[in-house]
Amino acid sequence: MGHRGLRILALLASFTLVAGTGLVDPAAAQDKPRHGGELVFVVPSEPPSYDAHQEETFGLIHPMAPHYNTLVRVDPFDKTGTKPVPDLAESWNISKDGLIYTFKLHRGVKFHDGSEMTSKDVKASYDKIIFPPAGVKSLRKDAYRVVEVVEAPDPYTVRFRLKWPESSLLLNLASPWNWIYKADLLAKDMHWYEKNVMGTGPFTFVEHVKGSHWVGKKNPNYWDKGKPYLDGYRAIFISASSAQVAAIRGERAHIQFRSFSPAERDSLVQALGPKITVQESPWDCLNFVSMHHEKKPFNDKRVRRALSLALDRYEGSKNLSKITLVRDVGGIQVPGTPWATPPAELEKLAGYGRDINANRAEARKLLKEAGAEGLSFTFKNRGIPHPYEPVGIWLIDQWRQIGVTVKQEFIEASAYHPMLKRGDFEVAMDFQCGFIVEPDLDLPRFLSTSDANYGKHKDTVIDDLFQKQARAMEPEERRKYLRAFEKRLLDEEAHVIYTLQWHRIIPHSSKVKGWTITPSHYLNNQLDTVWLSE
Amino acid sequence: MWKYLLKRFALMFPTLLGVAVVTFILIRVIPGDVVELRLAGDRGSVSDEMLNAERIKFGLDQPVWRQFVTWIAGAARLDFGTSMWTGSPIWDEIRLRFALSFQVALMSTIVAVLLAIPLGVIAALRQDTWVDYTVRIFSIAGLATPSFWLGIVFILALLILFKWLPPMVYTPIWVNPWQNLAQLIWPALAVGYRYSAVATRMTRSAMLEVLREDYIRTARAKGLVEKLILSRHALKNAMLPVLTVIAIEFAFLIGGLVVTEQVFNLNGVGLLFVQAVAHRDYTLIQALVMLVAGIFILMNFLMDIMYAWLDPRIRYR
Amino acid sequence: MAINPAIDVAAEGLADTPHGGWRAAVADFCRRRPLGAIGAAVVVLMLAVAVSAELVAPYDPVAVDFGAMLTRPGVQHWLGTDAFGRDVLSRLLYGARTALLVGFGSALMGATGGAIIGVGSAYFGGKIDLYLQRLMDIFLSFPLIILALALVAILGNSIPNVIMAITIPMIPRSALVIRSSALAIREMPYVDAARAAGFGHARIIMRHMLPNVMAPYLIMLTAFLGQAILLESSLSFLGLGVQEPTAAWGLMLRGAAVDFAESAPWMAIFPGLAISLAVFAFNLFGDSLRDALDPKLRTL
């Protein structure tokens, strides 16, 4: 009930967000899709292997997702990227106790080699993801700890039995990484998919020239009749962003599916005018400041709160959104999505209040109380131009306003993660990126027991709250626990300091229709709904 | 002479070996390893046992000397292994990139030579006149401009003035020569201009030296025509150091155009190298360094042959 | 760099002081080689600016001022401001400091280190020469930027490390050139005569070899200065050199400058010009220095 109201609110919010920045092409209803044409898009990096169960880079998803289907997927027309809709499963049913999920599969789905897809393929693929045999890597198996077993009682039914009820499982199964592979191929060689492509998706694999491009061709026997609209697609690998912009500007590519910076968007709009359409969305990515709880004075929560209070997030949002990929002030969920805290509520948290002078005065007071006046430390940051560097510069300037002197040290991107893992920092920039906006996927790293808890905070209250929200089947109850979790994480204990929500900007050729932006650059890449106008 | 050349040839191998050892150790000193990057990558955490299992697969758990021996054994059979990042054979990874870099290097060298030799000669003949000054300023400007700046300006100029963009994807010259040249002429011009600077100055300075040599004075005294003096005596001897510079710079063009490749979006060896370092892909880094070093050492040897042939003083060593 | 067979042995070398002392020599230099003089003047100007940046710069180079972001060059900010509202002119002036520090630091150490190895290798000859040469060959085989890249990855991003990372590839290049000059002297009969007369190694090196390698040494030094500045800016551009918020010319060309290349071109133009000017000046000066020091030419 409140859920529906929130959906409308979310829709309105996203519409205003979008309307404020230009125009968007609302996906389905307008013109009738035209068949034909080759979509050319740019991808900044290449896939290291071909197996989505083992990788987590968009460099794999962008060129390869069109070759595959998943059991369920995120609605490609939904801007919040949180609505599960059928893909290979045509319908599903959840038992009353929430422990049994039964999926009915489409019939007549064929792999690209002509063989039929049945439930045993789904079971084999999920067994590989959730219960990988020795020597097989599955990067996301921990997300499915709740699953006890996957069954295939008949060729067109798949059943998941859970150990406990989990409200997010359906959305979790819509993960863009859970490609359905062919059981026979997996039985012969579990590593086959690392170097080969065989799926049921709307496009078949033509070629991959390393360092150059990836080509896919329309699947004439696609099970979703009438689709895909495109004759094919071509992904060109270009790493330098200036060259990517040049490609779109020179009309050699239609779109880039990750994001461009505000300045790049402006230059494209200025150069191409009506030939360019801009879609924008808050991104399911966020930089937060991680403080090492075992190093003085960051073990004192007053110091941590002070550092958060010093930040004028609203002014920062206004300014930084002009030069880099951040914009909205958000909490633990992307603004505009079902579980996000409404802005009015958010302002009650430390550092989110509108009166920056009062906040900073309190920050100074806290520092004094904690005996940390004139605090000075080294802030470690990742050497990436957008948005790490600008946000880092902003942070240092903000902390200067409460008398804290910070020296910034940039660590090369590849050496960064090991540095965090070693705990070799006092204060460091970290990031939380999700592929689907869902608390069960976005928040586990903040648990005291998580391997990704680099700040080494120990807080049983927060662990408990997470557990409670994961098991809550009633939306209101879940929301209550999520608010409490957020307050504990960002306000009471200030374990981490959230900066600003990343902002996704996709300026693309106006010929591209049928593609809707979502907060995740891993979603909506199957290209079956995309078509090119004349 | 042959004994000299044989000695130089033999010396190629210990040098190559030395490069292999230095590289091997150097990359293993860099913090971070490929397994960590591949698995835990950006976000998550992977269990230590999974990490260790992967390390064993790549042989990273072995002591360094043993890893080296394994690698050398493979290299002797010309098997440089598979990339640690993608698992594909090394030659697959390098093949296309090498073709592109090689072609750019070749084209740049041609541009550089076409610019440098005439300009250097003129500047030497008209030393300290405004011709000399102009040539020197022109060539130093090429050296002084940062290549990435030039590249960005180039592309912007093409887009804004001509509304045209070079092809984004590499087509080998035997497949489609027009598209190939349309893409590669621009970086060749930018890089060629830059390298002509070094060669121009070298040509000028070598010509200056040679023109003052005793034997030139003698030829002049004998009354030989200026042109004859120039071409037969001066140029030939001046060419030696110039050719050396050109050959050595050519070797470096293959792997050293890191920034230029980024800016012109060329998927060449330089860019591959940067990616390999970012991924800590030891096998690929090793192979690339051996490739570039190998070319350099080969060029050096070819230079030795030419020196021996052209300079009679060395012949009788 | 190639062996320059033209750097010849002349007994005169640099050991002669010209008539009228140094002042006259400088005046002579300015008169006869105006380009070089201009180059030298620019270098001196840069040095002065770098040293006195605190006095000359109108603003604090790291002061963020979002109210003034991306302003055009004008009265308030002569060269405009960047994406953070930081004054471009001030950052340029402080950037000179970084450039010259890294430039001089690496060029000096690189050229000198190479000279020591080159002279030692040439003088002692034999096995020492052989091994040193192989070692130099090995390091020479790495393209400059690749070696610098690897070293920065190992050592880290601070200024001293960047200097080290640029110095190390330069040493073998300098060694190669210096060695060939030193070799030519080594062949001279008077060196053997000196040894026979019982003079020590140090004395022979000091007295005979060093003066004659001065010319190529100085030329290498000026060439390295330009190269070091360019290399540092390339490394910064790749994100591997000096880091924000330090002002450095290569750093100023990265990120926002490229994004805003069309709407706010002053962000990229001025640092690019500064780099070009600096390298230009060093090279012009070095060129003219070479002309001045070549003993053959001085007899004209």
Side-chain angles (χ1 to χ4, degrees):
Chain A
M1 312 305 95
H3 200 69
R4 186 159 171 275
L6 205 76
R7 280 259 205 91
I8 298 180
L9 189 71
L11 216 67
L12 273 173
S14 42
F15 194 74
T16 12
L17 281 170
V18 143
T21 55
L23 40 118
V24 103
D25 202 349
Q30 309 303 57
D31 325 298
K32 188 155 145 47
R34 183 185 83 99
H35 286 261
E38 187 189 47
L39 182 75
V40 181
F41 59 94
V42 174
V43 186
S45 72
E46 264 183 275
S49 79
Y50 293 175
D51 184 0
H53 302 171
Q54 297 185 38
E55 304 294 344
E56 52 171 15
T57 167
F58 65 89
L60 175 125
I61 288 276
H62 289 184
M64 293 190 69
H67 300 312
Y68 292 95
N69 289 108
T70 50
L71 189 59
V72 291
R73 68 170 173 177
V74 167
D75 186 351
F77 299 114
D78 168 36
K79 274 209 63 147
T80 67
T82 51
K83 201 171 99 175
V85 295
D87 198 6
L88 286 178
E90 64 174 5
S91 67
W92 54 84
N93 169 275
I94 307 177
S95 69
K96 270 249 189 67
D97 56 6
L99 292 176
I100 305 183
Y101 286 63
T102 313
F103 295 88
K104 287 256 169 287
L105 301 177
H106 280 286
R107 288 163 196 263
V109 177
K110 295 230 167 47
F111 282 98
H112 297 154
D113 62 0
S115 59
E116 205 193 348
M117 191 275 316
T118 61
S119 61
K120 77 171 196 292
D121 299 303
V122 177
K123 173 170 161 60
S125 305
Y126 268 99
D127 280 344
K128 179 169 176 296
I129 296 173
I130 308 179
F131 311 108
V136 174
K137 285 193 306 274
S138 169
L139 224 48
R140 282 159 286 269
K141 77 167 193 235
D142 286 341
Y144 300 102
R145 259 192 297 237
V146 65
V147 175
E148 181 167 3
V149 71
V150 181
E151 295 166 353
D154 69 63
Y156 300 104
T157 311
V158 180
R159 192 179 296 138
F160 287 76
R161 288 189 194 278
L162 308 188
K163 297 177 194 155
W164 58 78
E166 194 164 86
S167 56
S168 64
L169 182 68
L170 198 57
L171 197 54
N172 205 344
L173 289 175
S175 163
W177 306 99
N178 295 356
W179 293 344
I180 302 301
Y181 293 152
K182 191 166 156 177
D184 293 338
L185 290 170
L186 287 176
K188 264 191 285 194
D189 176 11
M190 269 285 168
H191 296 278
W192 190 86
Y193 274 94
E194 288 172 19
K195 301 216 169 59
N196 298 284
V197 180
M198 177 52 61
T200 56
F203 294 89
T204 57
F205 173 63
V206 174
E207 67 171 359
H208 170 205
V209 178
K210 275 197 203 288
S212 183
H213 58 272
W214 187 292
V215 179
K217 200 174 65 166
K218 172 175 175 153
N219 176 4
N221 303 314
Y222 191 50
W223 54 269
D224 191 353
K225 295 278 172 267
K227 294 216 196 86
Y229 305 115
L230 298 167
D231 282 337
Y233 69 89
R234 176 176 295 261
I236 305 182
F237 300 114
I238 302 182
S239 48
S241 74
S242 59
Q244 294 168 25
V245 176
I248 306 250
R249 185 174 172 159
E251 295 185 82
R252 285 200 195 252
H254 295 109
I255 187 171
Q256 185 246 62
F257 285 114
R258 193 169 172 272
S259 180
F260 279 129
S261 72
E264 289 168 338
R265 165 201 64 204
D266 293 338
S267 76
L268 281 172
V269 169
Q270 206 185 36
L272 293 173
K275 291 198 208 167
I276 273 277
T277 305
V278 182
Q279 294 194 49
E280 295 191 23
S281 162
W283 203 336
D284 189 9
C285 263
L286 161 52
N287 282 123
F288 64 88
V289 176
S290 187
M291 296 157 286
H292 205 298
H293 285 48
E294 289 169 7
K295 298 200 179 162
K296 283 192 163 51
F298 304 104
N299 52 343
D300 186 337
K301 74 172 170 215
R302 288 172 295 193
V303 172
R304 301 195 300 264
R305 286 192 64 165
L307 290 178
S308 184
L309 284 165
L311 308 180
D312 188 351
R313 290 174 167 82
Y314 300 101
E315 189 67 19
S317 161
K318 201 177 71 169
N319 292 316
L320 287 173
S321 62
K322 293 189 197 138
I323 57 175
T324 187
L325 300 170
V326 297
R327 212 177 77 165
D328 302 304
V329 179
I332 55 173
Q333 286 282 278
V334 176
T337 57
W339 304 109
T341 311
E345 281 287 314
L346 207 55
E347 287 181 21
K348 297 188 191 145
L349 297 175
Y352 286 80
R354 292 271 176 182
D355 187 350
I356 187 61
N357 293 319
N359 288 346
R360 287 194 176 143
E362 193 191 334
R364 285 183 195 268
K365 194 178 76 157
L366 283 171
L367 282 180
K368 198 157 176 203
E369 268 175 33
E373 254 189 317
L375 175 62
S376 131
F377 59 85
T378 302
F379 175 61
K380 293 201 177 171
N381 197 352
R382 250 173 134 196
I384 298 181
H386 283 300
Y388 292 82
E389 289 180 15
V391 174
I393 297 178
W394 173 73
L395 280 171
I396 293 186
D397 184 63
Q398 299 284 292
W399 285 329
R400 210 154 74 135
Q401 315 285 338
I402 56 167
V404 175
T405 332
V406 182
K407 181 169 147 305
Q408 197 169 195
E409 189 186 319
F410 280 95
I411 312 274
E412 189 218 336
S414 314
Y416 201 74
H417 185 252
M419 182 274 297
L420 284 178
K421 215 164 162 205
R422 280 195 312 267
D424 185 14
F425 66 95
E426 299 177 277
V427 180
M429 187 83 100
D430 201 347
F431 70 107
Q432 168 52 33
C433 265
F435 51 82
I436 287 186
V437 182
E438 163 48 62
D440 283 348
L441 294 173
D442 292 326
L443 302 179
R445 53 127 9 108
F446 295 117
L447 293 174
S448 311
T449 48
S450 164
D451 284 334
N453 176 10
Y454 303 121
K456 303 227 185 319
H457 62 256
K458 297 195 197 346
D459 188 349
T460 46
V461 174
I462 230 179
D463 296 345
D464 184 53
L465 282 170
F466 179 82
Q467 189 78 292
K468 288 208 173 81
Q469 70 80 31
R471 308 267 173 115
M473 294 303 282
E474 275 302 305
E476 279 315 308
E477 196 194 346
R478 193 178 183 200
R479 197 156 289 131
K480 190 181 78 183
Y481 290 126
L482 280 173
R483 294 287 81 74
F485 181 96
E486 189 177 54
K487 193 166 159 71
R488 180 101 185 154
L489 182 72
L490 301 178
D491 186 338
E492 288 166 22
E493 290 294 317
H495 288 307
V496 296
I497 302 176
Y498 268 33
T499 61
L500 298 166
Q501 198 78 31
W502 286 18
H503 194 66
R504 208 174 158 211
I505 301 173
I506 309 263
H508 61 81
S509 163
S510 297
K511 293 195 192 152
V512 177
K513 310 265 195 239
W515 185 80
T516 310
I517 193 172
T518 64
S520 163
H521 57 296
Y522 302 100
L523 293 179
N524 202 359
N525 283 298
Q526 268 175 299
L527 303 182
D528 58 323
T529 60
V530 176
W531 54 281
L532 290 170
S533 71
E534 234 333 294
Chain B
M1 180 176 88
W2 292 113
K3 223 170 67 159
Y4 171 71
L5 284 180
L6 208 65
K7 198 168 74 137
R8 304 294 303 173
F9 181 77
L11 280 175
M12 274 170 60
F13 296 96
T15 315
L16 272 172
L17 191 66
V19 171
V21 172
V22 170
T23 316
F24 214 80
I25 299 177
L26 208 65
I27 55 186
R28 278 162 179 74
V29 175
I30 304 180
D33 79 8
V34 64
V35 173
E36 177 98 44
L37 282 170
R38 210 29 219 298
L39 294 195
D42 276 352
R43 296 180 296 120
S45 39
V46 182
S47 63
D48 277 334
E49 8 155 348
M50 211 188 259
L51 287 175
N52 287 328
E54 280 297 301
R55 289 206 179 100
I56 293 179
K57 217 171 76 174
F58 288 121
L60 288 175
D61 58 319
Q62 307 269 345
V64 181
W65 66 264
R66 190 174 289 166
Q67 290 183 42
F68 186 69
V69 170
T70 318
W71 181 81
I72 279 276
R77 292 190 309 260
L78 287 182
D79 169 19
F80 290 96
T82 56
S83 156
M84 284 184 183
W85 186 254
T86 65
S88 309
I90 290 286
W91 188 237
D92 266 358
E93 297 283 339
I94 299 184
R95 196 168 24 123
L96 211 68
R97 266 87 166 221
F98 182 67
L100 188 150
S101 284
F102 190 83
Q103 194 185 340
V104 172
L106 199 62
M107 285 170 70
S108 306
T109 308
I110 294 175
V111 168
V113 167
L114 287 176
L115 274 176
I117 298 197
L119 285 179
V121 169
I122 296 176
L125 288 179
R126 306 261 177 276
Q127 192 194 12
D128 287 336
T129 61
W130 66 268
V131 175
D132 185 19
Y133 292 158
T134 318
V135 168
R136 281 161 67 187
I137 292 181
F138 176 73
S139 74
I140 293 182
L143 254 186
T145 320
S147 45
F148 47 92
W149 198 68
L150 199 61
I152 294 173
V153 168
F154 249 66
I155 302 249
L156 261 176
L158 284 174
L159 266 176
I160 297 180
L161 296 175
F162 300 105
K163 303 236 184 303
W164 181 80
L165 197 65
M168 305 248 80
V169 176
Y170 173 65
T171 27
I173 194 163
W174 51 86
V175 170
N176 184 344
W178 290 126
Q179 214 175 10
N180 172 284
L181 289 173
Q183 184 189 23
L184 297 185
I185 189 68
W186 311 103
L189 283 174
V191 176
Y193 173 40
R194 212 148 173 269
Y195 280 101
S196 78
V198 179
T200 309
R201 295 167 74 210
M202 207 64 216
T203 310
R204 175 182 173 278
S205 118
M207 274 301 278
L208 282 176
E209 296 296 344
V210 158
L211 283 174
R212 266 115 196 135
E213 284 286 340
D214 291 338
Y215 59 86
I216 295 289
R217 267 201 252 155
T218 316
R220 280 213 180 101
K222 269 165 61 174
L224 280 183
V225 176
E226 194 71 15
K227 248 205 187 141
L228 203 63
I229 298 178
L230 262 184
S231 53
R232 188 158 323 152
H233 299 280
L235 213 55
K236 194 171 89 164
N237 283 291
M239 276 307 104
L240 220 47
V242 178
L243 281 172
T244 313
V245 164
I246 291 177
I248 291 183
E249 297 293 2
F250 174 81
F252 284 155
L253 283 180
I254 304 244
L257 289 179
V258 171
V259 186
T260 309
E261 286 179 11
Q262 233 193 29
V263 165
F264 281 98
N265 186 52
L266 300 169
N267 275 308
V269 173
L271 207 59
L272 185 62
F273 191 86
V274 173
Q275 285 170 356
V277 172
H279 294 154
R280 307 286 191 266
D281 188 342
Y282 294 160
T283 31
L284 189 56
I285 298 174
Q286 190 84 21
L288 284 173
V289 172
M290 295 310 294
L291 182 68
V292 175
I295 294 177
F296 173 76
I297 292 173
L298 192 68
M299 281 290 148
N300 254 333
F301 178 62
L302 291 175
M303 284 301 105
D304 283 335
I305 296 182
M306 203 161 56
Y307 262 85
W309 183 55
L310 285 176
D311 186 346
R313 287 180 290 175
I314 303 181
R315 257 197 224 176
Y316 298 106
R317 210 53 94 68
Chain C
M1 301 284 288
I3 299 169
N4 188 345
I7 299 198
D8 210 328
V9 186
E12 307 105 291
L14 198 57
D16 282 351
T17 35
H19 306 294
W22 288 109
R23 258 208 211 114
V26 171
D28 187 57
F29 184 81
C30 290
R31 198 172 29 92
R32 298 228 303 212
R33 300 170 208 293
L35 276 192
I38 295 175
V42 172
V43 172
V44 169
L45 184 66
M46 274 183 60
L47 275 167
V49 155
V51 166
S52 62
E54 273 92 0
L55 303 168
V56 182
Y59 293 86
D60 180 353
V62 300
V64 171
D65 178 9
F66 280 117
M69 64 174 7
L70 299 169
T71 37
R72 305 187 143 269
V75 182
Q76 282 273 41
H77 296 273
W78 288 7
L79 296 182
T81 59
D82 68 3
F84 290 95
R86 299 178 297 197
D87 181 43
V88 172
L89 178 61
S90 307
R91 283 182 72 76
L92 218 59
L93 295 175
Y94 275 87
R97 184 177 289 182
T98 315
L100 289 176
L101 199 63
V102 176
F104 271 104
S106 17
L108 214 62
M109 292 204 291
T112 311
I116 294 175
I117 294 181
V119 167
S121 187
Y123 182 76
F124 290 108
K127 275 240 156 71
I128 296 183
D129 185 27
L130 199 67
Y131 288 138
L132 275 178
Q133 271 309 95
R134 292 286 74 70
L135 196 62
M136 291 296 109
D137 261 354
I138 290 172
F139 279 94
L140 260 180
S141 311
F142 292 88
L144 250 180
I145 194 157
I146 286 181
L147 194 54
L149 238 166
L151 287 167
V152 170
I154 299 175
L155 300 169
N157 276 336
S158 59
I159 290 190
N161 290 336
V162 171
I163 294 180
M164 200 83 280
I166 298 179
T167 304
I168 291 180
M170 291 191 154
I171 292 180
R173 286 161 175 77
S174 160
L176 191 64
V177 175
I178 304 275
R179 175 180 171 274
S180 66
S181 315
L183 257 187
I185 303 166
R186 179 78 178 77
E187 307 284 297
M188 284 285 121
Y190 61 76
V191 173
D192 285 331
R195 285 292 294 141
F199 288 131
H201 292 305
R203 186 177 159 148
I204 299 181
I205 291 180
M206 285 286 164
R207 211 114 194 286
H208 298 282
M209 303 197 97
L210 276 189
N212 284 293
V213 302
M214 257 303 134
Y217 172 73
L218 285 172
I219 292 164
M220 287 258 78
L221 190 59
T222 52
F224 278 175
L225 275 166
Q227 264 194 318
I229 293 181
L230 273 177
L231 198 57
E232 191 277 316
S233 70
S234 298
L235 284 175
S236 298
F237 184 76
L238 287 173
L240 294 170
V242 175
Q243 299 290 330
E244 288 277 1
T246 316
W249 294 339
L251 206 54
M252 290 169 77
L253 282 171
R254 183 175 140 84
V258 178
D259 282 353
F260 288 100
E262 269 185 274
S263 45
W266 57 88
M267 280 174 69
I269 290 182
F270 294 117
L273 279 179
I275 296 177
S276 304
L277 196 66
V279 179
F280 215 93
F282 281 120
N283 276 302
L284 274 181
F285 178 55
D287 247 10
S288 299
L289 196 66
R290 184 228 155 274
D291 284 356
L293 290 178
D294 184 335
K296 282 265 171 64
L297 295 179
R298 287 176 75 239
T299 58
L300 279 171

